[in-house]
Amino acid sequence: MQKIVDFIKQSFKTQEFIPLHEPRFIGNEKKYLNDCIDSTFVSSVGKYVDTFEKEFAKIVGSKFAIATVNGTAALHISLILANVKKDDEVITQPLTFIATCNAISYIGANPVFVDVDLDTMGLSPKSLKNFLESNCEVVDNKCINKTTNRQIKVCVPMHTFGHPCKIDEIKDICDNWNISLVEDAAESLGSYYKDKHTGTFGKVGAFSFNGNKIITSGGGGVIVTDDVELAKRAKHITTTAKIPHPYEYVHSEIAYNYRLPNLNAALLVAQLEQLNKFLDSKRELANIYKDFFETTNMKFISEAKNSKSNYWLQAVLLGDLKQRDDFLDFTNKNGVMTRPIWRLMNELEMFKDCQKDDLKNAKYLEQRVVNIPSSVRV
Ligand SMILES: *Cc1c(COP(=O)(O)O)cnc(C)c1O
């Protein structure tokens, strides 16, 4: 294990503490921030929000992008756009960051947990199909869960650490079962499945620009869609549903203050300019890790078939729980930050009674996957 710590320190050219993921501000960040402050438009309107939305849509290849205050808000609104209501059900994976399930819960809907694939760590099309065939039926164009008698409105797969899941197969299954697809693409800016950008396969997709993501606006998020009506609605309900008027306050419904301040958007426009450089650096690090871990008893997790990963958080697979815990303990004591993958959502108090399938692969990965330092190297 000392060999691994030495190798990581050498790869980052430092003997100091190495965090898991640090942001990098090496472009026009200060320039745009200063410009934004000088303009006095630091808050809810401003040209950086507009520029960002246009640029982002272009990069991922969707028609529209709507900036939000964070990724959780983007997910929350995405689910509302997909017509999720109180007491509906939403299928997702148990191996995800809590935000996915929080967003479902904000609406009063219920998560249903379906297993992941071992190669992608994302929702398994095979398990999804099995779950639907054993538990559900389509009645009047609605997917009804026979166990609970509730409607399954949406499926939310997540692209774990930037590795795309088998999203085209998932989309086909959802179409067959009258379920809308909403992608939690929070971690996967710059990741493609069969040459199509993640987040653009379903009705809506959500991304995050939290401080630990591949690019950051401090806090921020975005919703993408090709549907003009959904795009308009997203803008409307993330901006307090205010009806445009030169001076009067008139609002058409109870809505949200989820817009991204111009200040954050200024940072984001500068970060977007760096995206290709960041992606190259992460891929290079992934190649270095891959070669190195072949000389150890751990397995580096590479992108799966048909996909191009952004390698946002690099990950290794360990032999068992004991080996994992020893590795976490040793590396963190020796100045190299590492972290286990998330505790499964169905093991948390709030979601322990949610319906689930056997979650065999999710449990396997939960005990073995560890993230290792992944910052862009400058
Ligand atoms: C980061 C993240 C989010 C939410 O992002 P915030 O911007 O922190 O609200 C949602 N889902 C996943 C999988 C994430 O990793």
Side-chain angles (χ1 to χ4, degrees):
M1 273 195 283
Q2 186 61 49
K3 183 176 101 169
I4 297 172
V5 164
D6 290 344
F7 180 79
I8 293 176
K9 287 188 172 173
Q10 179 201 323
S11 302
F12 281 88
K13 298 192 177 66
T14 179
Q15 290 307 308
E16 311 274 294
F17 170 78
I18 305 176
L20 196 65
H21 197 281
E22 278 179 310
R24 295 279 182 252
F25 304 112
I26 51 177
N28 287 319
E29 286 85 356
K30 285 183 183 161
K31 186 171 155 217
Y32 295 169
L33 278 171
N34 274 329
D35 176 57
C36 186
I37 292 167
D38 290 344
S39 77
T40 76
F41 287 94
V42 294
S43 190
S44 35
V45 287
K47 67 170 191 192
Y48 285 108
V49 174
D50 302 335
T51 307
F52 163 71
E53 290 178 342
K54 284 202 190 78
E55 283 300 309
F56 194 84
K58 202 159 42 168
I59 286 171
V60 301
S62 70
K63 288 209 179 100
F64 307 99
I66 301 91
T68 60
V69 69
N70 58 50
T72 310
L75 268 174
H76 181 193
I77 298 298
S78 297
L79 293 168
I80 292 174
L81 296 175
N83 202 26
V84 176
K85 300 261 160 66
K86 186 170 181 297
D87 295 330
D88 285 337
E89 292 186 350
V90 176
I91 292 181
T92 191
Q93 56 199 65
L95 200 65
T96 184
F97 178 60
I98 186 81
T100 321
C101 294
N102 280 342
I104 296 167
S105 306
Y106 295 164
I107 303 181
N110 305 285
V112 172
F113 298 112
V114 168
D115 206 6
V116 296
D117 280 323
L118 287 176
D119 57 347
T120 67
M121 300 179 284
L123 192 73
S124 162
K126 206 167 134 204
S127 301
L128 176 63
K129 190 157 176 278
N130 277 341
F131 178 87
L132 292 168
E133 283 171 357
S134 349
N135 296 284
C136 303
E137 61 184 347
V138 176
V139 185
D140 297 333
N141 292 325
K142 291 177 183 157
C143 178
I144 302 297
N145 183 342
K146 290 185 281 188
T147 324
T148 57
N149 234 345
R150 295 194 284 229
Q151 185 180 358
I152 299 180
K153 283 254 181 84
V154 165
C155 173
V156 187
M158 197 278 284
H159 304 288
T160 305
F161 306 143
H163 294 298
C165 61
K166 298 175 184 111
I167 191 70
D168 60 342
E169 287 177 54
I170 292 172
K171 170 141 196 348
D172 286 346
I173 297 166
C174 288
D175 286 348
N176 287 338
W177 284 85
N178 283 51
I179 296 171
S180 296
L181 178 62
V182 169
E183 284 174 83
D184 183 344
E187 307 184 349
S188 65
L189 173 59
S191 301
Y192 295 79
Y193 189 76
K194 295 186 178 167
D195 294 328
K196 189 170 159 62
H197 201 289
T198 54
T200 64
F201 286 79
K203 213 184 192 63
V204 244
F207 293 81
S208 163
F209 308 111
N210 186 39
N212 62 345
K213 297 300 201 286
I214 188 160
I215 62 167
T216 184
S217 45
V222 71
I223 300 162
V224 298
T225 181
D226 283 340
D227 183 322
V228 62
E229 292 309 319
L230 291 185
K232 278 191 209 154
R233 179 142 178 82
K235 198 51 157 183
H236 191 59
I237 61 176
T238 52
T239 56
T240 67
K242 184 177 178 298
I243 312 245
H245 189 282
Y247 45 83
E248 266 210 276
Y249 295 105
V250 187
H251 304 263
S252 63
E253 63 186 288
I254 294 173
Y256 303 88
N257 178 15
Y258 275 178
R259 59 190 138 201
L260 183 73
N262 202 37
L263 210 47
N264 300 77
L267 194 53
L268 207 43
V269 170
Q271 286 268 286
L272 261 193
E273 294 172 354
Q274 303 294 313
L275 179 61
N276 284 335
K277 196 188 287 175
F278 290 1
L279 288 168
D280 288 347
S281 169
K282 281 176 179 287
R283 180 161 292 268
E284 187 188 67
L285 180 61
N287 286 331
I288 291 171
Y289 275 150
K290 183 167 183 290
D291 289 346
F292 172 74
F293 280 101
E294 271 163 17
T295 70
T296 70
N297 60 354
M298 300 176 195
K299 188 177 166 291
F300 179 74
I301 301 180
S302 296
E303 63 200 352
K305 217 172 84 193
N306 294 321
S307 58
K308 186 166 183 201
S309 174
N310 65 3
Y311 284 106
W312 164 58
L313 276 191
Q314 317 275 356
V316 288
L317 186 72
L318 284 92
D320 56 31
L321 190 60
K322 163 96 176 50
Q323 209 191 45
R324 182 199 82 165
D325 288 343
D326 290 347
F327 180 66
L328 286 168
D329 204 48
F330 187 86
T331 45
N332 282 297
K333 276 194 184 125
N334 286 279
V336 170
M337 184 171 172
T338 59
R339 248 184 152 168
I341 199 166
W342 312 281
R343 192 71 65 83
L344 298 187
M345 291 299 113
N346 56 289
E347 290 169 10
L348 301 180
E349 186 59 30
M350 311 78 88
F351 303 115
K352 68 178 188 337
D353 296 326
C354 294
Q355 194 179 4
K356 55 186 187 287
D357 69 4
D358 68 7
L359 307 181
K360 197 164 94 271
N361 294 339
K363 285 178 193 154
Y364 181 91
L365 293 169
E366 180 193 30
Q367 300 200 343
R368 291 168 178 80
V369 175
V370 173
N371 290 121
I372 55 178
S374 307
S375 305
V376 165
R377 296 179 309 154
V378 282

